Structures are given as C-alpha cells and as structure tokens.
C-alpha cells in the first residue's frame, strides 16, 4: 500500500492550492481516504475525509466551506481543493487510509489509520 501526497507550496493569504493523493497497492473503491495536517507544536488533526464507494464526505469545522475533497476513481487519486487559505492553515498535510475495520464516526482520529503518505508542506504567508 502506498500513498503519495503532492501539491503543497507557498501561497498568500486568500489564495488557493490543490493537493493530490495518489494511491496504489490496494483498491481505493472500498476504503476511506482522509487528509490530516500537522502544524509545528500541534497534534495531527483530521481535515477532510471521503468514504468509498458512496463518496460521503466529512470536514473539520475549521475548513468547512473553504476546502473540498474529491476523488478520481480511474486514477486512484483523491484531491483536496483549498480555497481562502489562512496563515492558520500552514502545516504538513498527509493523506491516510485504513484497510482494517474503520468507523466513520472516528474519521478524524489519526490512530484509526495504518497507512500514510509522506506529507506535503503548505505555507500560507504574505
């Protein structure tokens, strides 16, 4: 199982970025993919999750109405469109999945996931 996160960078406040998570080694169709982020000195927090196969999504309150998670089944990829970025969004962003028993109510808990991508840095600064 491999997850490859990409798309991070430096952006000004109010700007946008699109992160990609490319999955391989498993069938994404039956597993949730979740984006987490971790800022220096802070705990890793769940940002957005998409549940397969139904496509149901979950968002952290702090990013609702600004971020959107989507998928491309044909490419085995999940995306995180981030708009109206704020300095508080600065963090390393990771994508993760769980192949074991997983409960949607715990989508935001990092311990629920056993496979992680390498992370991509997002910096929001003027």
């Amino acid at each position: 199982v491999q997850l490859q996160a990409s798309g991070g960078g430096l952006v000004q406040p109010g700007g946008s970025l699109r992160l990609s998570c490319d999955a391989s080694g498993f069938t994404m169709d039956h597993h949730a993919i979740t984006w987490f982020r971790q800022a220096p000195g802070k705990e890793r927090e769940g940002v957005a999750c998409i549940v397969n196969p139904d496509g149901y999504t979950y968002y952290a309150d702090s990013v609702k109405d600004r971020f959107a998670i989507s998928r491309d089944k044909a490419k085995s990829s999940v995306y995180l469109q981030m708009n109206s970025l704020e300095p508080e969004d600065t963090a390393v962003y990771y994508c993760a999945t769980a192949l074991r028993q997983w409960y949607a109510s715990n989508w935001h808990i990092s311990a629920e996931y056993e496979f992680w991508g390498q992370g991509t840095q997002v910096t929001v600064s003027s």
Side-chain angles (χ1 to χ4, degrees):
V1 174
Q2 287 193 334
L3 299 169
Q4 182 77 28
S6 62
L10 173 64
V11 63
Q12 292 186 341
S16 299
L17 279 176
R18 187 194 192 208
L19 305 184
S20 298
C21 178
D22 298 322
S24 61
F26 70 105
T27 303
M28 192 178 75
D29 288 357
H30 301 290
H31 303 285
I33 304 289
T34 298
W35 284 98
F36 285 82
R37 67 186 180 186
Q38 188 165 21
K42 295 189 177 181
E43 292 188 357
R44 192 168 294 190
E45 64 169 337
V47 175
C49 172
I50 188 163
V51 182
N52 296 308
D54 56 15
Y56 197 80
T57 57
Y58 298 90
Y59 293 95
D61 288 343
S62 59
V63 306
K64 205 174 293 184
D65 300 326
R66 299 190 297 124
F67 291 9
I69 190 170
S70 62
R71 63 187 176 180
D72 184 331
K73 289 184 179 180
K75 295 183 179 180
S76 292
S77 295
V78 170
Y79 307 101
L80 185 67
Q81 179 66 43
M82 305 186 296
N83 300 324
S84 302
L85 283 162
E86 304 168 351
E88 293 74 21
D89 296 316
T90 295
V92 178
Y93 284 70
Y94 302 88
C95 54
T97 192
L99 272 60
R100 62 192 180 198
Q101 186 76 46
W102 179 87
Y103 299 95
S105 58
N106 294 335
W107 73 267
H108 59 289
I109 299 175
S110 59
E112 293 291 306
Y113 301 83
E114 70 263 45
F115 297 103
W116 293 80
Q118 84 286 6
T120 185
Q121 176 72 46
V122 172
T123 302
V124 185
S125 174
S126 55

